[in-house]
Amino acid sequence: MTCYDLHSHSTASDGSLEPSQLVARAIDKGVDVLALTDHDGTEGIAAAQQAAQGSDLRLIAGVEISVTWAKGTVHIVGLNIDPENDVLQQGLSSMRDFRVGRAEEMASRLEKAGISGALEGAKKYASEVMLGRLHFAKFLVEHGHAKDISDVFKRYLVRNKPGYVPGDWASLTDAVHWITAAGGQAVIAHPARYKMTATKRRRLITDFKDVGGVGFEVVSGRQHPEEVKALAKLAQQFELLASCGSDFHTPDNTWVELGNLAALPESCTPIWSVF
Ligand code: AMP
Ligand code: MN
Ligand code: MN
Ligand code: MN
């Protein structure tokens, strides 16, 4: 059976492997089709594509766009995008600009909470192209302000905690539009991970479908089998395609591995039926 992993990160966003290392690891783990879906940018794709050349691995050009919807943040994955597309790149560049200002603001809020040097410290963990909360989290752990990454996301950088800056990301409409303009398929990332009621989740899916979204991740890394079942049912009800992806960021996280995913339930129409 073909092994699909349609959600992963490299050093072009907040992953810890270079695109070429990520591709090598995917091959090693038996992945046949890998999508590189870095946050709000496509800078890693050329290198990943080059690394995949001459191997049996098929690299899908992707992106994971941060969206503000109903005052919260949701992530929309674009698959099979043309990274050269102007509409997409203009949209993404506005998001990168927002990230620069947000990082400065996060650092100044941490400073007020008595933690200095966060901006420089976070940059040490990041590539030139993207600075995110995970880079700040690594700095905070390194300096003993939290015991590990998940501890950081409980005590810092989230609502009502030091270092939090509200997101001002793309609208759902814009994110889906950029992806479709670039020839890609828009998919809601890890729909079970958002803290929202079932009713609100259905509203998200409805809104998403209304603006041209075609699927969501029925299977994502570290997910309970019951959740997979519930999501498969939702996909069927809404007549949406099913995607699957590990959301791999780093080999350090031993419970999320490239290609290590449950099979999509029989009732699902896989997103790759339209690839
Ligand atoms: P940003 O897009 O800069 O707001 O950062 C979001 C990223 O932070 C996610 O893609 C994850 O990589 C990371 N993240 C958020 N919450 C957690 C968490 N509880 N544990 C580990 N990583 C997290
Ligand atoms: Mn991330
Ligand atoms: Mn995400
Ligand atoms: Mn992700």
Side-chain angles (χ1 to χ4, degrees), residues 229-241:
K229 264 197 219 167
L231 289 172
K233 209 169 145 188
L234 263 185
Q236 198 172 20
Q237 280 170 0
F238 282 89
E239 297 181 324
L240 284 171
L241 302 169

Side-chain angles (χ1 to χ4, degrees), residues 14 39 66 75 99 102 132-134 149-150 153 169 249:
D14 57 3
H39 298 286
S66 312
H75 286 169
R99 278 187 180 278
R102 181 184 77 145
R133 280 186 297 162
L134 194 55
I149 299 288
S150 88
F153 284 100
W169 304 115
H249 280 74

Side-chain angles (χ1 to χ4, degrees), residues 6-103:
L6 302 178
H7 188 153
S8 69
H9 296 274
S10 75
T11 48
S13 63
D14 57 3
S16 67
L17 299 182
E18 299 280 338
S20 62
Q21 296 172 317
L22 182 81
V23 166
R25 189 176 183 95
I27 293 170
D28 185 53
K29 299 293 173 188
V31 175
D32 299 298
V33 183
L34 176 75
L36 176 61
T37 55
D38 276 311
H39 298 286
D40 309 320
T42 57
E43 288 84 352
I45 286 172
Q49 246 150 7
Q50 205 172 8
Q53 240 166 45
S55 80
D56 290 333
L57 182 126
R58 176 171 168 203
L59 197 278
I60 304 277
V63 66
E64 180 176 18
I65 301 181
S66 312
V67 161
T68 301
W69 179 83
K71 300 201 177 92
T73 302
V74 298
H75 286 169
I76 304 298
V77 161
L79 298 171
N80 293 298
I81 47 154
D82 169 13
E84 308 286 311
N85 181 270
D86 280 343
V87 173
L88 175 68
Q89 288 306 338
Q90 270 177 32
L92 295 181
S93 87
S94 70
M95 307 197 62
R96 292 305 175 96
D97 292 346
F98 171 69
R99 278 187 180 278
V100 173
R102 181 184 77 145

Side-chain angles (χ1 to χ4, degrees), residues 68 71-73 97-112 119 131-133 136 153 156-169:
T68 301
K71 300 201 177 92
T73 302
D97 292 346
F98 171 69
R99 278 187 180 278
V100 173
R102 181 184 77 145
E104 285 163 5
E105 182 61 25
M106 286 199 295
S108 98
R109 292 189 189 191
L110 285 170
E111 180 93 48
K112 281 179 196 131
L119 188 58
L131 200 52
R133 280 186 297 162
F136 281 85
F153 284 100
Y156 300 94
L157 315 179
V158 291
R159 198 168 289 170
N160 299 322
K161 305 286 172 178
Y164 174 67
V165 177
D168 181 16
W169 304 115

Side-chain angles (χ1 to χ4, degrees), residues 118-196:
L119 188 58
E120 293 318 307
K123 278 183 180 165
K124 273 202 328 197
Y125 291 102
S127 65
E128 293 290 301
V129 292
M130 183 265 194
L131 200 52
R133 280 186 297 162
L134 194 55
H135 304 117
F136 281 85
K138 289 179 178 175
F139 161 82
L140 289 167
V141 173
E142 178 196 309
H143 287 261
H145 299 290
K147 71 175 190 323
D148 55 28
I149 299 288
S150 88
D151 189 32
V152 173
F153 284 100
K154 285 180 194 123
R155 296 171 44 216
Y156 300 94
L157 315 179
V158 291
R159 198 168 289 170
N160 299 322
K161 305 286 172 178
Y164 174 67
V165 177
D168 181 16
W169 304 115
S171 70
L172 192 61
T173 312
D174 283 350
V176 174
H177 171 63
W178 301 341
I179 291 166
T180 357
Q185 299 95 33
V187 163
I188 302 174
H190 42 66
R193 216 187 291 164
Y194 311 117
K195 285 190 187 107
M196 53 174 80

